Structure formats: structure tokens, C-alpha cells
Amino acid sequence: MKKVKPISPAIKSFSNTQKINSVGWTILFCLTSSQLALAQSNNQGSLTPARAASIATSTAITSSIINNPFGGFGTYRWKLGANSNNPSLVLEAKNPNSLNPDDYSGGLAGSADWSNWSVWATPVISQFKNNIAPNTSNGTVVIGLAGLEYNMDDTLISGLSLAADSTSSNTTYNNGTYKSTGLTVSPYLAYQINDSWLFDLSAGYGGSNPTTTVGSSTGTTNYTRFFSAIGLTDRIELSNKLTLTPRASYTMYKDSLDAYTSSTGAYNSALTTYLYQTKIGAQLAYDAKVATPFIAAYQLVNSWSASQSNTPPSVYPSSYQVIAGINASKGIFYGTVAYQIERSTSQFRLYGGLRF
């Protein structure tokens, strides 16, 4: 019987080295994969609260554009063109039938309408909840919105607004948090076609430096947003108290997060998403003088894409939107509270302030 030669120490050593290397490569692959998974998870999850701030800002601007020519509610407004002879902050007509500016008092907050320029502002609080898996989140967006506006004979209105937003969110899918403060500059235009039809166009560009936290890992990156919206609104008075407001709009959102490395060394790759949204529906409002309850229903059609092919969608291709709320006004004071629901998402919004 032929003897089998024992394996030499060199071959044994080589075999053990191969095993060690195999284990090492396996560990390295797992660590790398976990870092990539963490990177994708962090940036993908951050886009949901980031976009919530973009949508809240765009919605507030659109609301202000529509409410200005149609009247009603929406902004704290100061007419410019103070009367130097009497710079009072309260508009007071000494002779209501007079066309002489000297017969009116009017400082910055309440001048007679001898100027087409005005400044406006409104605070907005928006709470959101997104249950679309896997990147679920909820939080609050607080916005301070102000603008400078020119009104050309109530026909063409153009302006520039500045929004300062603060977002605090829980990324519930990974027990993390997302916090940011940012600025957005938005030019806009509205054209009053006739007594009932209004065309509006707006855009916004801005960003922030959000900080995400997951367990002991934190990271800060650069976020930029761009949105543009175009809309057509009709106003139909069904009675002296009941008003129907059909609206169709198209909005594009671009949200970008730069690459960054977290405090635990995890690399997070850059990510950009695009959302194109068509919205068609109508609002029904009942004017009860001090308070005006309203309800609105819209159909949403969404087209969504991302720079990373493995990014799960954060919206549905088709969804509904129902909004119910109350506008309230007493003298120069106004307020709006509204609750909005869509498929797997919800939002609570609150406006308030003074109107001149």
C-alpha cells in the first residue's frame, strides 16, 4: 500500500493564510456593505423631511399669490408710499370722497393706495407624517415667509419672497433625527385674466446644512432645493356665501444632498431626486363672515426619479389629496388652520398674523 506523504508545513501555512484572507475579505465586504447601506439609508431618509420643507414653502407662496388678488386670507401686508404729512400707522380718511393724498394719513403699515408697492409676511407651521416605506418620518416645519410685491392695477402682480425655514424631524425607520435651518428665495408672478380666472407662476431656490443623527453616529451635509410651479385658478360664486375654486397646477421639485462622512466613519454618497407633480381639483368654501370653513379634493399624478438607481420611491405614481380647514378673520387679524391627507401621508398647517 502506497504511503501518503504528509502535508508540508509550508503548504499548511499557505492554506491557513488563505482561510484567514478569506475571512478577512468577508469581514471587509460586510463592513463595506453595511457602510454603503448606512449611506444610502441616511441620504434617502433625509430627503423625505427635506422635501417636506420644500413643499410647505411652495404651498405657502402659492397660497399667498392666490389670496392676494382674490381677497380673503393669507398674509400680513404693508402698503408702501407713506404720506409724509402725516406718517401715522393707521389709515384714516378725513374725507372718504377726496382724491387728495393730504386728506389721508398712512404710514408704512397703512398708507393710502398711492403706491403699487407693498411688503408682506406670514408665519407658517406645518406638521407632516410620511408612512411610505421604507423611509418613514414625521416632524415639524416652521417657516417665516416675507416678500416685496408690485401690483400693476390689480392685473399683473410680481414679487420676490424670502423664506426662512426650520425643520425638526424623526426618521422613524431608523430611530434617527433630522434637523436643519435654511433659506429659500422665490420670485413669483400672477396675472389676473378676468374677474374669476388667475394664472400664477413661481420658483424657488435655496438650501440648508442638515444634521442627521442615528444612535451615536452624526453627520452634516449640504442640501439644495429647487422648485417651480405653474397654476390656473378659477373662482365661481355659487351663492352670496358659497364659493367654488377649481385649480390645476404643475410643480417640479429637485432635492439634492451632497456626499458626507459621518462621525463613525460611514461614507454617505450624494443623492438627487426629481418629483414632477400634476394636481387637479377644487375647493368649496362657505363664507360665515368671521369664519370660512372649506374643504378641497384633488387628484395627484406624480413622476419621480433619483440619481441612484436603487433608491426606493418616496411618492406614489397616483394619489388623492383632501384638505379641510377654517379661515378666520376679525379686523386686521386673520388665521388659517388646515389638515391635509394623501395616500400614506398627512400634514397639518397653521397660518396666522395681521393683514393691512
Side-chain angles (χ1 to χ4, degrees):
M1 185 175 182
K2 189 176 179 180
K3 283 187 174 182
V4 178
K5 291 183 179 181
I7 299 174
S8 68
I11 295 177
K12 284 184 177 180
S13 176
F14 177 77
S15 178
N16 290 337
T17 300
Q18 286 292 89
K19 290 180 180 179
I20 292 172
N21 286 341
S22 178
V23 173
W25 281 110
T26 302
I27 293 173
L28 180 61
F29 175 77
C30 291
L31 289 175
T32 304
S33 298
S34 65
Q35 282 193 345
L36 288 175
L38 179 60
Q40 293 170 0
S41 178
N42 280 347
N43 265 347
Q44 290 174 10
S46 296
L47 279 167
T48 302
R51 184 181 296 145
S54 294
I55 293 176
T57 304
S58 178
T59 301
I61 292 171
T62 300
S63 177
S64 300
I65 294 173
I66 295 173
N67 283 324
N68 183 25
F70 279 165
F73 314 87
T75 59
Y76 172 98
R77 185 172 300 276
W78 283 354
K79 293 290 292 183
L80 299 180
N83 183 347
S84 60
N85 294 333
N86 192 349
S88 169
L89 292 181
V90 180
L91 177 63
E92 180 182 358
K94 299 175 183 178
N95 181 359
N97 296 321
S98 174
L99 296 178
N100 184 356
D102 292 335
D103 285 339
Y104 291 81
S105 67
L108 182 67
S111 68
D113 290 343
W114 308 117
S115 171
N116 291 333
W117 290 95
S118 63
V119 293
W120 59 268
T122 187
V124 180
I125 299 176
S126 177
Q127 292 182 329
F128 67 92
K129 186 174 184 180
N130 190 317
N131 292 327
I132 301 176
N135 300 313
T136 56
S137 65
N138 62 67
T140 301
V141 181
V142 179
I143 302 173
L145 189 62
L148 175 66
E149 185 173 283
Y150 182 80
N151 186 332
M152 185 180 294
D153 299 327
D154 292 326
T155 300
L156 183 64
I157 300 170
S158 60
L160 183 69
S161 69
L162 178 66
D165 65 271
S166 175
T167 305
S168 179
S169 171
N170 297 314
T171 49
T172 52
Y173 73 100
N174 63 359
N175 294 319
T177 60
Y178 172 100
K179 297 181 183 297
S180 74
T181 55
L183 293 174
T184 302
V185 177
S186 302
Y188 64 89
L189 180 146
Y191 176 68
Q192 186 85 39
I193 300 173
N194 53 39
D195 291 341
S196 60
W197 285 95
L198 178 74
F199 168 82
D200 62 271
L201 179 66
S202 61
Y205 178 81
S208 63
N209 296 108
T211 297
T212 58
T213 302
V214 182
S216 60
S217 177
T218 62
T220 301
T221 186
N222 181 59
Y223 163 69
T224 56
R225 71 167 60 106
F226 173 78
F227 59 80
S228 60
I230 184 171
L232 186 63
T233 306
D234 187 19
R235 183 180 174 90
I236 304 170
E237 294 186 1
L238 301 178
S239 68
N240 60 343
K241 291 185 177 295
L242 204 59
T243 303
L244 182 67
T245 310
R247 176 171 172 80
S249 65
Y250 181 79
T251 307
M252 186 276 277
Y253 299 94
K254 178 184 177 182
D255 300 281
S256 300
L257 284 164
D258 289 350
Y260 72 98
T261 301
S262 71
S263 61
T264 56
Y267 177 75
N268 295 259
S269 55
L271 179 62
T272 298
T273 65
Y274 301 85
L275 171 62
Y276 304 89
Q277 184 177 86
T278 301
K279 179 177 175 179
I280 300 175
Q283 172 183 290
L284 184 65
Y286 180 80
D287 185 5
K289 293 185 178 179
V290 175
T292 303
F294 64 89
I295 186 168
Y298 301 95
Q299 174 67 41
L300 304 180
V301 179
N302 299 315
S303 176
W304 186 91
S305 63
S307 59
Q308 294 179 6
S309 59
N310 60 343
T311 304
S314 59
V315 295
Y316 293 109
S318 179
S319 180
Y320 58 86
Q321 184 182 88
V322 178
I323 308 171
I326 297 176
N327 291 323
S329 177
K330 183 67 175 179
I332 63 174
F333 297 95
Y334 78 91
T336 297
V337 57
Y339 185 71
Q340 171 183 311
I341 58 172
E342 296 177 27
R343 186 180 173 189
S344 298
T345 68
S346 62
Q347 196 174 129
F348 172 81
R349 292 197 301 272
L350 178 66
Y351 297 72
L354 307 174
R355 185 179 62 240
F356 290 89

